[in-house]
Amino acid sequence: MMVEKKKTTTKKTETKKQEAKKVAPVKQEVKKQAAAPAPAAQNAVAAPGATTQKDARIGVFICHCGTNIAGSMDIQAVQDYAKTIPHVAYVDNYKYMCSMPGQTLIQKAVKENNLTGVVVAACTPRLHEPTFRTATKDAGLNPFRFEMANIRDQNSWVHMHDREGSTEKAKDAVRIAVAKAALLQDLFPKSVPVEPAAMVVGAGVAGMQASLDLAAAGIKTYLIESDMSIGGRMSQLDKTFPTLDCSQCILTPKMVDVGRSEKIELMTWSEVENVEGYIGNFEVTIKKKARGVMTPKEAAAKGIVGGGCNGCGDCDAVCPVIKPNVFEVGMKPRKAIYINHPQVVPLIYTIDFNACVKCGLCVTACGPEKRAIDLNMQDEFIKVKVGTVILATGYDIFPIENKQEWGYKRYENVITSLEFERLICASGPTGGHLVRPSDGQTPMRVAFVLCAGSRDNTGIGKPYCSRFCCMYSLKHAHQIVEKIPGCVPYIFYMDIRSFGKMYEEFYYRIQNEGAKFIRGRVANILEDPKTKNLHVYADDTLLDRPVDMEVDLVVLAAAIEPKADTNRTRKLFGVSCSQDGWLLEAHPKLNPCGTTTAGVFLAGVCQGPKDIPDTVAQAEGAASAASIPIHMGEVELEPYFAQCIEEKCAGCGMCVNLCPYSALSLVEKNGRTVMQVTEAKCKGCGTCGGFCPGGAIWMQHFATPQIVAQIDAFLLGGEE
Amino acid sequence: MSESKANHTFAFYLGCIAPNRYPGCESAAIKTCKKLGIDLVPLKGASCCPAPGAFGAIDLNVWYAMAARNLVLAEQMKMDIALLCNGCYKSIWEVNHKLKHNKDLRDGVNEVLKEIDMEYKGTCNVYHIAELLYNEKYVGVNKVRDSVVTPMTGARIAVHYGCHLTKPHKDREFEKSIMLNTEHPSWMEELVAAIGATPVEYRNKMQCCGAGGGVRGYDIVHSLDITNEKMINIMEAKADALTNICPFCQLQFDRGQIEIKEKFGISYDLPVLHFCELLGLAQGMSPQELGLDLHAISCEPFLQKVL
């Protein structure tokens, strides 16, 4: 299909061809049905009277949902009432309409009673609209001739103790649904071809795993990373819980695989600048930030044979500018030309142009053969086309200095867990020796403050649980006991949440290793100005007494929060966020990788706090979900598009500016300016339809006459 | 209420300790505010706030009704209330806040007030003077700095915030929008710096003075123990004086030092000044004008240093 499409000359003929293909078989299906409008009328939607209300014969099916519905209302009364509603030709009820016998009931009734539309009064469209659409289709009707009345979630469940009231409300709901069903039209989903490539934003462990899976499935994948290397947060960690394997050791093989994969086009030091299009056809503009250093490939493209950065580090040695190393949480210096750590992928140096003084020493050091450094390099913009996108943008650390009672940034010996990770890591700034920042001494008493900014309802911290702090703090406790003989970890906790596989066992192990657990939130930390020791004040809620504990070092298990540029990401990809600011999945339980924007998927912590195993699992899920449309080759879109009634359209263009999905444009047609809808982009939100001053926009499946009929049915109580 | 005018007028609620024990606080508040464009008009007929520890802890309904009566007096004057004590702030601001947001409570209080032909309507707001001084909408740090004629150069001043102005911070609207932090605030230090003095940080600065919550009345030794701990920390920071924004805290630190001397045999002799008194000195007023001679601990060494 795709190849065929590329050959077609103009877009217009292309669409027509495709429509003809899609519509043809359906046409035969609905042929028998007298009331159905000709498929041609569906395109010329300017004819809202295609189905006249007089012809409509509606079947109403009331579901008991076991006792969910039947327990709170009089089903028989609703059924008796439904029979009196205009256009209703058939009424029935069943214990579970969604069951096979329930669906068969619909099919049988449609055929025997020559129905033109189906109303099921049951749960929510979210849950069973697809089920009943299929049943309607199997009965020989167009699937969009189905309407659902929600008499469970918004009725029987909330009015559990008002049988009479809920029965009356159900009658209203059925009457309203019938009013719409009588005016429903045949609609035909559109198919669009899918670009056989994917993009993954963020190359932490989630993005890397998703890319590797997509590549393994044979899909060309663009992996975009804003930092100079891939690896993300996981590469900053020393060891992982509960297995205690070295984080870098298990991560670097994956990093190398990503770097090597022929299917993955890795773009580090790059950001997504703009996104246009829709599922199957995203056109993404990527900003390749000026790195100042050329890869061998880029050098070759410039005709420098055998040139480009080979990671030798000669430039680093001569650079005179010293800056704090962000990768080491500022605890180690780096130069203006730098790599984050020795295992970076790709092993290409990067110039921090905010710090660089352009002295040119590095250019000389790099030499005339490699000629890798270009101090005048400019940002580049690259456009790529992809079918699906996975967002794996990760998280930030909550600025724990906002919880001033703990004195982070005021007291030298109060550090965060990420700083602890770097200090205990053999490749970190102290070579793996945990020291007090104030005097470089080895601490012998270390307090760990859990839920630092998490589970905090004061309005300063975050109300949610950050989900991995308990476990890594247990791991930290183990590490200091192991590395520093005689050192005692004191863990101040609210609850220890060790819920994963082998996690609880790990908790017991740490208890046995001598860590002290104090159940109580830390109220205050004070520094002894002379010794720089810290007094940790808390309430021991198990012994019911206040604690004043003097320690050498305090480690705050700081909460995590959504990335600072989450809003930008949201706008770029049209993704929502939940109340807590994390990117919103399509369904918290049944669609945790999808989003409300078709073709955009989520992986890792950007969707909500999770540890490495959960992150990798979600990444694999997202990769699988993102590969489906690509392997299918085309995707079907729900036909809830806006349509322009060209005779009425004045071409004012107000709708064009209002459309949040950039789906509308103005075009010249027969000498007039009219609006045109790019159907694949339209989400059917109705913003344009509601606004159009001339009433020239027809919202398929939510057309004005249909909605007015519903309102009338409600207000007039069914009277004509 | 009077926000649109260049000059602000408030009904001045005095409280008990300021007029009775530290009349200097009262006169300092009126005089310094006048210089900063704020008129403080006496809230005539006002009663005790009533003290949150003494009344609120024993019978909330009495606390609500008495505070509401004071609020109604201001409502009748069609003015917002300004006050200079954290305890008063707790009672009057918080009762106002509660009555505005809880109809049942309001109805109950109005039933009581009916007996004296009064009705609480919820039309006035309550502000602490320190809040007015810091908030640019009324005065602001810059305007405070501009009003200084005798800068307190070289004076090392420790700040005591007191509890009720900033806590519980969930309710305190101004604290959220302007002061930002209750755990380690620094806005009073900004005010101290504005009058030319050097604010000094000291250990556990947000600790209670020891007086509040009825502790002073109930268990004076325990109360002084807390004060003593604060004094040790302040003295370690080599402060020349302590400033506060609450006459009750002032009483605890000022008279408390005499009591500490009697009971524990330790003397600190650290002058304790309400911020309005300090501001008055910086604005060129005489110590007598500000009633500093009525303090239990002599302010003389401090005055010699700064004047």
Side-chain angles (χ1 to χ4, degrees), chain B residues 235-247:
Chain B
M235 296 313 284
E236 262 182 14
K238 297 190 173 58
D240 298 320
L242 172 69
T243 187
N244 64 80
I245 46 171
C246 170

Side-chain angles (χ1 to χ4, degrees), chain A residues 44-213:
Chain A
V45 273
T51 311
T52 58
Q53 208 172 343
K54 280 170 197 150
D55 303 332
R57 289 174 59 77
I58 307 298
V60 176
F61 302 87
I62 305 158
C63 181
H64 297 210
C65 197
T67 55
N68 270 306
I69 295 171
S72 311
M73 68 176 68
D74 185 345
I75 298 278
Q76 193 56 45
V78 180
Q79 172 153 352
D80 291 344
Y81 171 77
K83 282 181 183 157
T84 67
I85 302 171
H87 304 300
V88 173
Y90 181 83
V91 189
D92 207 346
N93 68 75
Y94 191 69
K95 203 161 184 187
Y96 295 103
M97 280 309 299
C98 58
S99 65
M100 277 317 289
Q103 294 184 53
T104 316
L105 202 68
I106 297 174
Q107 291 161 23
K108 215 169 134 223
V110 169
K111 283 174 186 155
E112 285 175 5
N113 298 283
N114 199 23
L115 301 178
T116 65
V118 172
V119 168
V120 177
C123 49
T124 73
R126 239 182 119 106
L127 205 62
H128 272 312
E129 193 176 65
T131 314
F132 296 124
R133 278 215 175 128
T134 311
T136 309
K137 193 181 168 196
D138 290 346
L141 290 178
N142 180 288
F144 294 91
R145 294 281 188 145
F146 161 75
E147 182 67 15
M148 198 153 187
N150 182 346
I151 59 167
R152 189 188 73 175
D153 301 34
Q154 291 168 2
N155 190 344
S156 66
W157 277 357
V158 276
H159 309 299
M160 207 172 271
H161 306 296
D162 181 5
R163 197 174 170 81
E164 210 168 288
S166 63
T167 306
E168 287 308 307
K169 191 171 172 181
K171 288 178 184 174
D172 285 345
V174 170
R175 184 174 72 243
I176 293 165
V178 169
K180 185 173 177 188
L183 291 177
L184 286 175
Q185 292 180 302
D186 288 358
L187 296 173
F188 304 93
K190 298 253 147 115
S191 282
V192 292
V194 177
E195 185 73 29
M199 184 173 77
V200 178
V201 185
V205 67
M208 283 162 46
Q209 185 63 48
S211 303
L212 287 170
D213 284 10

Side-chain angles (χ1 to χ4, degrees), chain A residues 585-595 601:
Chain A
E585 63 286 337
H587 189 284
K589 294 172 187 70
L590 304 177
N591 194 354
C593 299
T595 66
F601 303 89

Side-chain angles (χ1 to χ4, degrees), chain A residues 153 184 232 247 271 323 369 545 587 596 614 645 657 685 717:
Chain A
D153 301 34
L184 286 175
S247 185
E271 280 167 14
K323 282 274 158 188
E369 273 168 28
R545 67 179 183 210
H587 189 284
T596 44
D614 286 2
I645 305 170
N657 297 329
C685 71

Side-chain angles (χ1 to χ4, degrees), chain A residues 280-439:
Chain A
N281 296 279
F282 290 108
E283 198 171 283
V284 186
T285 311
I286 298 158
K287 178 163 98 176
K288 265 186 93 179
K289 296 182 282 187
R291 188 177 202 134
V293 181
M294 281 184 282
T295 63
K297 219 173 159 188
E298 285 165 344
K302 286 202 167 184
I304 307 166
V305 184
C309 180
N310 63 1
C312 66
D314 289 349
C315 50
D316 187 318
V318 295
C319 178
V321 183
I322 292 172
K323 282 274 158 188
N325 188 338
V326 178
F327 180 81
E328 302 284 1
V329 207
M331 294 184 297
K332 197 178 178 179
R334 67 152 165 81
K335 300 295 183 63
I337 186 162
Y338 69 103
I339 51 172
N340 277 344
H341 56 89
Q343 288 136 307
V344 291
V345 173
L347 181 53
I348 303 292
Y349 274 76
T350 302
I351 297 177
D352 173 1
F353 278 111
N354 290 324
C356 175
V357 293
K358 298 204 175 180
C359 63
L361 284 173
C362 54
V363 180
T364 318
C366 192
E369 273 168 28
K370 282 179 277 170
R371 280 193 282 163
I373 298 170
D374 174 6
L375 293 176
N376 298 313
M377 199 182 266
Q378 297 295 317
D379 293 351
E380 251 183 88
F381 294 89
I382 297 164
K383 275 195 178 180
V384 297
K385 272 196 91 175
V386 294
T388 52
V389 174
I390 295 175
L391 300 177
T393 51
Y395 62 94
D396 281 337
I397 310 282
F398 171 73
I400 197 63
E401 61 271 26
N402 289 359
K403 295 289 290 180
Q404 292 203 346
E405 59 267 43
W406 297 326
Y408 179 63
K409 288 197 176 168
R410 251 191 307 132
Y411 307 142
E412 286 174 78
N413 293 330
V414 176
I415 64 171
T416 65
S417 298
L418 193 59
E419 288 166 341
F420 181 95
E421 288 285 350
R422 294 316 302 158
L423 288 172
I424 203 84
C425 180
S427 68
T430 54
H433 298 289
L434 181 67
V435 295
R436 277 155 51 101
S438 68
D439 52 14

Side-chain angles (χ1 to χ4, degrees), chain B residues 65-124:
Chain B
M66 279 181 74
R69 184 185 159 277
N70 287 328
L71 285 158
V72 172
L73 291 174
E75 284 180 3
Q76 287 170 351
M77 289 167 76
K78 293 192 169 37
M79 281 183 195
D80 288 344
I81 290 180
L83 40 77
L84 77 172
C85 166
N86 283 1
C88 302
Y89 187 83
K90 162 87 177 169
S91 292
I92 297 187
W93 186 91
E94 199 164 303
V95 170
N96 195 29
H97 183 77
K98 280 191 191 326
L99 293 182
K100 277 185 183 179
H101 292 92
N102 184 339
K103 190 177 177 299
D104 289 347
L105 194 60
R106 192 162 63 233
D107 291 346
V109 161
N110 274 333
E111 212 165 286
V112 178
L113 289 180
K114 213 171 166 188
E115 291 173 29
I116 49 168
D117 295 326
M118 276 185 165
E119 191 198 349
Y120 171 85
K121 295 194 181 77
T123 54
C124 95

